[in-house]
Amino acid sequence: MKPVSLIQFLIEERRANHINAELSLLIEVVARACKRIAVATNKGALGGVLGMAGDGDALSINVQGEAQKKLDVISNEILLEANAWGGQLAACASEEMEDPQPIPDMYPKGNHLLLFDPLDGSSNIDVNVSVGTIFSILRCPDGVTEAKTEHFLQPGTAQLAAGYVVYGPATVLVLTFGHGTHEFTLDREVGSFVLSRRAIKVPEETAEFAINMSNQRHWEAPMQRYIGELLAGKDGPRGKDFNMRWVASMVADVHRILTRGGVFFYPLDAKIKAKGETGKLRLMYEANPMAFIIEQAGGAAATGRERILDIMPTALHQRVPVFLGSAAEVEVASRYHRQADGAAG
Ligand code: AFP
């Protein structure tokens, strides 16, 4: 079969009325920016991109209070610069910036809002393990001339598009417009993304889970119960053995789930609560786009208490617990949380 390029796929999606010309162009611009991030990531030590941003005692700290890596800053700049002038956006918001960045006055403005985590899994950069970019696209509400934080605060169900790029052994883009989840692999020689899997499906059942087990002692009781049962294997109540993987780059863990199935958890725990937080992962540019992608592939995404895509956001950098992947496993873990809440209430 003849390879289908991303551009060709976007034209097909326009003809099917799944997207308009502006959104199609926006995806092209984001994909092009991600190719530049892939180049920077691949250079590693030779490109001078490893290590922390800032110098010595004055490390660069982002809005989340996290020390920024050089590649966090470079990737953020690449995405901002690429998206400033195209005319498809009203504003951009990023994990690395406290407030949304308006489109400079010298460029035309469009009707879309772009949110991104420019370099997810940045603790893995220096050890040459997969990292990625996650993005979400919303419509800018009608009549808004200057997009501000409040205009970004839309539930995940309002997303027009979501995607991620994983910079691994291959650079891979995964995309949804709400009509299935599709994968494109970067052909480095030609310089274009080529459709490699159409309408990906996450199997309903799985025997593989992803969680940071070092947090076990901090988890809530229903999470302790759920993971305890998986670990008990075929001698326990689940009656089968489970395997475990944890890359600590959500993009890579989600990509594995989209490839061979599985379920991913970053639950609420006492350590997170002690910091006054409501979760570890960010709703608007991590949980929502991944939830959209996973649901479009037939999986489920929840906090243990509600569907992620139904959450009405209250802050740009809001954090939530994340359970996603195999629908059957997300349901078992969520049921244990509902039961525990019912018993407590
Ligand atoms: P960084 O981008 O700050 O490295 O965070 C990555 C991440 O948000 C997500 O990609 C991982 O699943 C998760 O954090 C890893 O968290 P732990 O380091 O607590 O396991």
Side-chain angles (χ1 to χ4, degrees):
M1 247 207 343
K2 260 185 85 184
V4 175
S5 68
L6 175 64
I7 312 277
Q8 206 178 326
F9 177 85
L10 292 172
I11 292 170
E12 283 172 14
E13 290 294 283
R14 275 173 61 186
R15 287 188 183 144
N17 279 329
H18 294 165
I19 54 171
N20 61 21
E22 199 174 304
L23 183 52
S24 168
L25 264 170
L26 178 51
I27 297 292
E28 279 186 52
V29 173
V30 171
R32 204 173 321 129
C34 290
K35 281 191 245 174
R36 286 186 56 202
I37 299 174
V39 170
T41 307
N42 288 162
K43 287 206 165 110
L46 304 182
V49 297
L50 303 186
M52 308 305 291
D55 57 316
D57 307 331
L59 287 180
S60 173
I61 306 293
N62 71 7
V63 54
Q64 325 283 340
E66 298 158 347
Q68 290 176 302
K69 302 267 178 169
K70 282 185 195 160
L71 258 180
D72 285 323
V73 176
I74 293 168
S75 307
N76 195 51
E77 278 165 8
I78 289 176
L79 279 158
L80 288 178
E81 195 191 297
N83 283 290
W85 54 271
Q88 298 89 32
L89 285 177
C92 288
S94 161
E95 181 190 6
E96 304 300 331
M97 307 182 306
E98 181 147 17
D99 299 311
Q101 170 137 326
I103 295 303
D105 286 340
M106 58 204 189
Y107 298 124
K109 290 193 178 62
N111 295 324
H112 294 92
L113 301 172
L114 173 68
L115 296 109
F116 50 82
D117 176 354
L119 207 76
D120 178 62
S122 45
S123 71
N124 280 325
I125 298 166
D126 295 352
V127 290
N128 199 20
V129 170
S130 296
V131 290
T133 297
I134 311 173
F135 61 91
S136 163
I137 298 172
L138 297 165
R139 192 186 312 284
C140 186
D142 289 343
V144 172
T145 47
E146 214 176 309
K148 302 214 172 67
T149 296
E150 67 206 71
H151 305 118
F152 282 84
L153 301 183
Q154 305 179 34
T157 47
Q159 291 174 103
L160 300 177
Y164 67 80
V165 177
V166 55
Y167 311 110
T171 293
V172 171
L173 163 69
V174 171
L175 198 57
T176 187
F177 298 121
H179 297 275
T181 292
H182 315 286
E183 181 204 78
F184 303 82
T185 301
L186 182 63
D187 181 333
R188 283 172 206 272
E189 279 134 57
V190 179
S192 71
F193 281 106
V194 177
L195 185 66
S196 37
R197 282 190 292 160
R198 204 188 271 273
I200 299 172
K201 288 286 165 244
V202 174
E204 186 169 347
E205 310 275 345
T206 187
E208 189 165 77
F209 66 99
I211 196 163
N212 184 339
M213 281 298 298
S214 70
N215 294 322
Q216 182 174 22
R217 69 191 187 285
H218 305 296
W219 296 337
E220 296 178 300
M223 204 65 212
Q224 298 274 4
R225 174 185 171 197
Y226 173 73
I227 296 291
E229 290 183 1
L230 303 192
L231 293 176
K234 62 176 181 313
D235 303 326
R238 300 300 303 272
K240 68 175 181 182
D241 288 336
F242 284 79
N243 186 29
M244 197 198 86
R245 288 287 183 273
W246 185 248
V247 183
S249 287
M250 192 193 197
V251 279
D253 281 312
V254 168
H255 199 67
R256 186 187 57 254
I257 291 170
L258 285 175
T259 306
R260 67 179 193 208
V263 62
F264 169 100
F265 298 95
Y266 213 117
L268 183 60
D269 66 32
K271 206 169 72 175
I272 293 170
K273 279 193 199 161
K275 289 192 221 154
E277 302 283 4
T278 46
K280 151 100 188 191
L281 301 176
R282 278 52 60 115
L283 173 63
M284 302 292 298
Y285 41 80
E286 289 182 321
N288 267 344
M290 290 308 200
F292 192 20
I293 287 166
I294 287 285
E295 283 200 6
Q296 283 298 313
T303 63
R305 270 126 188 154
E306 62 191 315
R307 179 184 176 222
I308 286 174
L309 294 181
D310 285 337
I311 298 172
M312 191 61 217
T314 53
L316 192 58
H317 300 287
Q318 184 172 343
R319 295 174 188 256
V320 289
V322 174
F323 302 6
L324 60 76
S326 148
E329 291 306 317
V330 170
E331 174 49 27
V332 176
S334 299
R335 176 155 41 88
Y336 289 1
H337 283 74
R338 287 196 299 271
Q339 285 170 358
D341 291 352

